[in-house]
Amino acid sequence: MEPIILHSDMNNFYASVEILYDPALQNKPVVVAGDEEARHGIVLAKNDLAKRFGIHTGQVLWEARQQCPDLVCVPAHYERYLHFSALARDIYISYTDQVEAFGLDECWLDVTGSTGLFGDGIAIADDIRARIRRELGLTVSVGVSYNKVFAKLGSDMKKPDATSVITPENFRETAWRLPVSDLLYVGPATTRKLAQFGIHTIGALAQADTGFLYSLLGKNGLMLHRFANGQDRSGVRRYYAAPPMKSIGNSTTAPRDLVSEEDVKITLLALCESVGARLREQRCVCTTVTVGIRTNDLLSFDRQLKLPRPTDSTSTIWEAAMDVFRRSHNNGQPVRSLSVKVSGLAPADEMVQLSMFPEERKIQRRADLDRTIDQIRAKYGYFSIRRAVTLLDPALDLDARGEHTIHPVGVLGTL
């Protein structure tokens, strides 16, 4: 029996939730926007009316307003989105326990074992759409297929509030005519590479020579070829199964350009405070630190450093991040934004390594200090205790964990 996989995608999710809270926005072009005063003034989400003016996610607000003078910009309220995301998943798990999130507004469902209770995949998809509309006041588009890749492709085919079906019999007529950029994991860079060789549709990708795709894209080329031919066999994770954590990171756009090393120290420390605290909360240690740098001329690049031993120490991560920054950014160009990510994660209790050398005492003192800071902040808030260097310019210090944690839209994982 072929699997029956659904992919549910909540339409214009952030903007739709904001309109629920303010019905006066119903017939206006609306975008959910970042904080312009904090230099985060970009479009995070938009409704259909805003889309008609060509407004797109990631666009700067001044440009969006030029395209649509009547544009209404509202701030993001992540607690609202988390609430409605949880309500939608409560609906999903009433049909199956195989529900895998792909960001806040998208989920896969494997309903293969549910058809005896709720009908076929199309019937379940239609019922989910009706319940989301009736119980939450939102709409979803649902793709129905025999694998995850085509189910997601189906949910994108018709919006809003629609069910689309891709089967083993019709995928060539249905999916192959679509732009190659519609396929899962085909991003802008891959789209441009494929276009250089005349591959513009999913069908062209499916019929391309695998040797050529490997030479162009490596193993990802072979993966995308399989996807285009409907050969994805990845399963839907059970809802209560925790996904493997591969990295932890935070990023921020500074309230002003960072022009000195002291400026960078304060901002990187705030990011490392968040990363270190989250590592310790997950009882993990890391082996690699990656720093992302974006200069004020919008040039972006990442650099990483392998640590000599696994750690969850904020100070050790910060020192490594500063080392990466000094090595990779030495031209004096002002910095607009920074990110810190740690990877190579492993359980902390499996990485204990005794040492007869004096640095072991220093490591233990740092661990004791980190735990004490974590406890104080858990009770009294982030700014209840601060490291001295942040007092050089308190405006650059930030609660990176509370205010700048990015809710992911999904990862490629090990594919």
Side-chain angles (χ1 to χ4, degrees):
M1 179 179 179
E2 287 281 0
I4 303 173
I5 310 296
L6 311 186
H7 184 269
S8 179
D9 185 357
M10 303 181 80
N11 303 136
N12 306 322
F13 180 48
Y14 289 8
S16 296
V17 170
E18 295 299 335
I19 292 170
L20 272 182
Y21 280 82
D22 185 1
L25 301 175
Q26 184 68 49
N27 296 312
K28 298 179 180 179
V30 177
V31 299
V32 178
D35 185 353
E36 289 184 277
E37 292 186 3
R39 304 205 305 172
H40 301 154
I42 61 172
V43 174
L44 303 176
K46 66 280 180 191
N47 68 352
D48 283 325
L49 287 175
K51 289 179 184 178
R52 294 174 191 173
F53 288 89
I55 293 170
H56 56 86
T57 302
Q59 188 174 21
V60 292
L61 290 181
W62 63 264
E63 185 180 75
R65 290 192 182 101
Q66 285 185 337
Q67 292 175 216
C68 179
D70 296 325
L71 188 67
V72 179
C73 301
V74 298
H77 298 91
Y78 287 107
E79 70 283 355
R80 296 176 180 176
Y81 315 144
L82 289 166
H83 173 66
F84 276 92
S85 178
L87 292 177
R89 292 176 195 180
D90 285 343
I91 292 175
Y92 301 150
I93 61 174
S94 68
Y95 296 91
T96 174
D97 66 344
Q98 288 181 263
V99 177
E100 181 179 340
F102 194 64
L104 287 182
D105 56 341
E106 302 180 45
C107 280
W108 280 290
L109 298 78
D110 187 334
V111 297
T112 310
S114 306
T115 56
L117 293 173
F118 304 107
D120 63 16
I122 298 174
I124 295 174
D126 289 341
D127 199 39
I128 286 173
R129 290 195 299 111
R131 288 186 61 186
I132 294 285
R133 186 170 57 250
R134 181 177 65 250
E135 297 176 26
L136 305 187
L138 302 171
T139 63
V140 297
S141 293
V142 184
V144 182
S145 192
Y146 61 100
N147 63 52
K148 291 168 69 176
V149 170
F150 280 173
K152 175 163 173 54
L153 187 66
S155 70
D156 291 332
M157 286 173 56
K158 189 176 181 182
K159 296 177 182 286
D161 197 14
T163 297
S164 301
V165 183
I166 301 178
T167 68
E169 293 75 31
N170 76 2
F171 78 85
R172 293 175 180 81
E173 295 77 22
T174 304
W176 279 14
R177 59 184 175 80
L178 298 174
V180 70
S181 57
D182 286 358
L183 191 66
L184 186 63
Y185 301 129
V186 178
T190 300
T191 300
R192 289 193 294 270
K193 283 185 179 180
L194 293 171
Q196 292 175 353
F197 297 92
I199 300 175
H200 301 286
T201 65
I202 294 175
L205 174 63
Q207 297 172 33
D209 179 73
T210 54
F212 164 73
L213 291 175
Y214 183 82
S215 67
L216 182 66
L217 302 172
K219 63 180 182 180
N220 284 343
L222 302 181
M223 176 191 73
L224 295 177
H225 184 266
R226 292 196 301 272
F227 285 178
N229 281 286
Q231 296 170 3
D232 169 42
R233 287 292 181 265
S234 57
V236 177
R237 190 166 48 238
R238 295 192 182 276
Y239 181 69
Y240 297 103
M245 185 176 293
K246 299 184 180 299
S247 64
I248 294 174
N250 272 106
S251 65
T252 186
T253 297
R256 61 171 175 80
D257 286 347
L258 309 178
V259 296
S260 69
E261 185 168 297
E262 294 302 322
D263 292 345
V264 173
K265 280 183 179 180
I266 296 170
T267 305
L268 280 181
L269 177 57
L271 296 172
C272 293
E273 293 269 29
S274 166
V275 169
R278 291 162 64 194
L279 267 175
R280 294 186 291 274
E281 184 179 88
Q282 298 294 327
R283 299 183 182 277
C284 288
V285 290
C286 68
T287 58
T288 302
V289 176
T290 302
V291 176
I293 301 168
R294 192 180 196 191
T295 57
N296 66 345
D297 59 359
L298 305 185
L299 174 66
S300 300
F301 56 94
D302 295 341
R303 298 292 185 271
Q304 67 180 31
L305 176 68
K306 184 83 171 178
L307 300 174
R309 60 177 288 169
T311 187
D312 62 4
S313 163
T314 293
S315 297
T316 302
I317 296 169
W318 180 42
E319 289 166 359
M322 283 302 304
D323 186 23
V324 172
F325 180 85
R326 292 187 184 107
R327 292 186 193 183
S328 56
H329 185 73
N330 51 22
N331 62 1
Q333 183 77 21
V335 173
R336 178 179 174 86
S337 61
L338 290 168
S339 67
V340 175
K341 181 180 74 173
V342 295
S343 54
L345 306 188
D349 55 4
E350 294 181 7
M351 302 302 295
V352 176
Q353 181 176 347
L354 299 178
S355 171
M356 66 180 69
F357 298 107
E359 69 265 16
E360 196 65 37
R361 295 175 60 188
K362 177 181 177 182
I363 292 170
Q364 187 58 51
R365 286 197 300 270
R366 287 185 168 185
D368 293 341
L369 177 62
D370 284 333
R371 281 194 294 270
T372 302
I373 291 174
D374 291 345
Q375 291 168 3
I376 293 172
R377 285 176 170 163
K379 188 171 184 178
Y380 299 106
Y382 175 81
F383 293 107
S384 61
I385 183 168
R386 303 168 77 173
R387 306 203 188 227
V389 68
T390 64
L391 300 178
L392 294 172
D393 191 341
L396 293 178
D397 194 13
L398 66 142
D399 179 5
R401 183 177 185 182
E403 301 173 11
H404 293 256
T405 299
I406 299 172
H407 301 281
V409 296
V411 293
L412 183 57
T414 58
L415 289 173

